[in-house]
């Protein structure tokens, strides 16, 4: 689906949230709009959140915390708070992007069977640790056994094996 950037209503909606009418801060919106460039800078040079916070406070993208202009420990603490706010904002922007791209979905790890017994044990462990139990994983159920009972049985077996190996 292509985005129609010429639609005047969409432009007005975008402008309304850009100036602070939405739930996100001006810094968060700016970071989202320039995410690739910021990521490139961080990759190439690292991040200097305190220096950047000074820039963003100066441009009005970030509000100056109490004690911002003071000297001494109060000013230092204030600048560090602003830097941490900026860093946390960046992390939220990145997290929203990852979740929007589907990176927030749980990943299935395929076992590397070194031996048949080890492969089976790893697969069983993955099933136990997995939040999503589907029909393929339930194939190992005993007749009349519920998935919860199977999990409890497998955990008990794992616990017994762990205790045996630790002797």
């Amino acid at each position: 689906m292509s985005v129609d950037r010429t639609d005047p209503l969409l432009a007005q909606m975008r402008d309304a949230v850009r100036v602070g009418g939405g739930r996100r801060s001006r810094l968060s919106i700016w970071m989202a709009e320039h995410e690739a460039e910021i990521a490139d800078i961080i990759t190439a040079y690292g991040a200097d959140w305190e220096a950047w916070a000074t820039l963003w406070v100066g441009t009005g993208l970030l509000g100056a915390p109490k004690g911002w202009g003071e000297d001494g420990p109060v000013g230092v603490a204030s600048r560090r708070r602003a830097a941490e706010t900026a860093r946390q904002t960046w992390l939220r922007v990145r997290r929203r992007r990852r979740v929007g791209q589907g990176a927030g979905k749980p990943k299935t790890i395929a076992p590397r069977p070194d031996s048949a017994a080890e492969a089976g044990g790893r697969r069983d462990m993955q099933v136990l640790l997995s939040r999503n139990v589907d029909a393929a994983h339930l194939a190992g159920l005993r007749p009349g056994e519920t998935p919860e009972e199977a999990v409890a049985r497998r955990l008990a077996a794992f616990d017994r094996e762990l205790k045996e190996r630790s002797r």
Side-chain angles (χ1 to χ4, degrees):
M1 175 198 290
S2 65
V3 178
D4 181 11
R5 300 220 180 256
T6 61
D7 185 322
L9 182 56
L10 288 175
Q12 289 173 349
M13 290 170 60
R14 194 172 17 259
D15 291 343
V17 293
R18 262 191 179 153
V19 296
R23 291 182 33 198
R24 299 206 170 116
S25 69
R26 288 186 302 271
L27 180 60
S28 177
I29 293 166
W30 182 86
M31 284 180 164
E33 290 175 344
H34 298 89
E35 183 178 3
E37 294 90 345
I38 296 168
D40 288 344
I41 292 169
I42 292 172
T43 300
Y45 307 105
D48 186 347
W49 295 108
E50 288 190 31
W52 293 350
T54 301
L55 292 171
W56 292 326
V57 166
T59 59
L61 288 173
L62 180 64
K66 184 178 178 180
W68 175 260
E70 295 186 29
D71 292 329
V74 173
V76 169
S78 177
R79 288 184 285 284
R80 285 190 181 151
R81 272 195 317 275
E84 183 60 18
T85 298
R87 190 182 72 81
Q88 289 295 324
T89 301
W90 172 248
L91 293 175
R92 281 190 298 275
V93 166
R94 298 293 285 187
R95 192 175 12 230
R96 280 194 307 265
R97 176 69 54 137
R98 280 194 311 270
V99 170
Q101 292 174 345
K105 297 176 185 172
K107 292 179 176 50
T108 304
I109 300 171
R112 290 183 334 199
D114 298 330
S115 70
E118 232 180 90
R122 266 196 228 130
R123 190 190 74 245
D124 289 345
M125 198 60 202
Q126 286 175 342
V127 170
L128 289 174
L129 296 175
S130 170
R131 293 181 184 175
N132 303 323
V133 179
D134 60 11
H137 293 118
L138 298 179
L141 288 179
R142 294 179 177 167
E145 189 175 46
T146 66
E148 291 80 15
E149 292 168 336
V151 167
R153 176 177 49 81
R154 290 176 179 160
L155 277 173
F158 175 73
D159 190 41
R160 282 192 304 273
E161 183 179 337
L162 189 63
K163 285 178 184 175
E164 192 174 300
R165 287 184 181 189
S166 65
R167 289 182 190 173

